[in-house]
Amino acid sequence: DAGVIQSPRHEVTEMGQEVTLRCKPISGHNSLFWYRQTMMRGLELLIYFNNNVPIDDSGMPEDRFSAKMPNASFSTLKIQPSEPRDSAVYFCASSLGEKLFFGSGTQLSVL
Amino acid sequence: GESVGLHLPTLSVQEGDNSIINCAYSNSASDYFIWYKQESGKGPQFIIDIRSNMDKRQGQRVTVLLNKTVKHLSLQIAATQPGDSAVYFCAENMPLTTDSWGKFQFGAGTQVVVTP
């Protein structure tokens, strides 16, 4: 079992650029979560999907953030345009009802 | 003054001693709880879980205690080892329905430092 796979592991970009983070959940899992972790706010839930349908996106900070899940094996989190305050570690996690399994995260730095 | 970031509570433990990490959860309707361990540069890893119809559950070297009256959760680690040094998070979950699961809300975390 490869676990939750996220790419890229590290992303450095300039303010104003579009950033796309990718996630492949564990095969068979029906829920997918995007979290953001910063020193200031800890681990925050941004959005989660159940059976590829967005259930709650109330954690998405603003319209610059969008997430999609076109199929059960792939999800993206896009930031357009990116700002320095978006710098954080972004985690994707998946689950089948109970335990949440996290990927290794994407370290995003917006200069 | 200006806030420079979260100051995680830190628990310093001597190798071989037992550790107790505490967590207060927020929602009395939450019925499922998980403890996660996060090592530097990695994602949170599942340690142990407990449902609200239980007050204690044991794993390998770890025990989780749940007190629903005061909405308190604790994680006990027996014979703490250097590899236990990490940030530990509690998470609570209130499911939407029996077929789907709601949001997991994470606590701020506790930094555990194991000293030789």
Side-chain angles (χ1 to χ4, degrees):
Chain A
D1 186 352
V4 177
I5 300 173
Q6 290 187 247
S7 64
R9 283 300 310 271
H10 303 275
E11 177 79 35
V12 180
T13 190
E14 292 186 345
M15 182 174 64
Q17 296 297 307
E18 177 179 295
V19 174
T20 299
L21 311 181
R22 296 174 177 79
C23 175
K24 176 179 169 55
I26 293 172
S27 178
H29 283 192
N30 64 349
S31 294
L32 184 140
F33 303 76
W34 282 101
Y35 282 87
R36 177 171 69 177
Q37 188 175 43
T38 62
M39 286 299 296
M40 288 294 293
R41 293 180 297 272
L43 203 58
E44 305 172 277
L45 177 64
L46 300 177
I47 184 171
Y48 76 98
F49 297 82
N50 192 55
N51 294 321
N52 311 340
V53 176
I55 301 299
D56 188 339
D57 65 355
S58 60
M60 297 285 261
E62 48 197 273
D63 292 345
R64 297 184 297 107
F65 286 68
S66 62
K68 293 182 180 179
M69 192 166 185
N71 57 62
S73 59
F74 184 66
S75 177
T76 59
L77 178 68
K78 185 176 292 187
I79 308 173
Q80 166 63 19
S82 59
E83 297 182 3
R85 59 193 169 120
D86 301 330
S87 297
V89 181
Y90 291 80
F91 288 105
C92 175
S94 70
S95 73
L96 181 61
E98 297 185 345
K99 301 174 189 177
L100 207 56
F101 293 85
F102 283 81
S104 298
T106 295
Q107 173 81 59
L108 174 65
S109 297
V110 183
L111 308 178
Chain B
E2 182 181 3
S3 174
V4 295
L6 277 178
H7 294 285
L8 292 178
T10 299
L11 177 66
S12 292
V13 184
Q14 196 157 13
E15 182 177 356
D17 287 352
N18 296 336
S19 306
I20 299 177
I21 307 163
N22 296 303
C23 175
Y25 64 91
S26 58
N27 194 329
S28 57
S30 294
D31 68 351
Y32 179 63
F33 306 87
I34 305 178
W35 278 100
Y36 281 90
K37 172 186 180 183
Q38 186 177 23
E39 296 174 277
S40 180
K42 297 182 179 179
Q45 293 177 288
F46 173 91
I47 301 174
I48 191 169
D49 58 357
I50 189 168
R51 296 187 183 280
S52 60
N53 62 352
M54 303 171 69
D55 54 20
K56 180 179 180 179
R57 191 169 187 214
Q58 289 185 294
Q60 187 176 13
R61 282 203 307 120
V62 294
T63 300
V64 55
L65 299 177
L66 174 63
N67 185 332
K68 295 181 288 294
T69 303
V70 294
K71 295 190 286 186
H72 183 267
L73 202 63
S74 68
L75 177 71
Q76 301 177 359
I77 305 174
T80 311
Q81 302 168 359
D84 295 327
S85 292
V87 177
Y88 290 79
F89 296 94
C90 65
E92 61 183 299
N93 176 263
M94 185 177 68
L96 297 172
T97 70
T98 54
D99 295 321
S100 66
W101 289 86
K103 298 184 283 190
F104 286 87
Q105 295 290 343
F106 283 76
T110 296
Q111 174 81 57
V112 172
V113 178
V114 182
T115 57

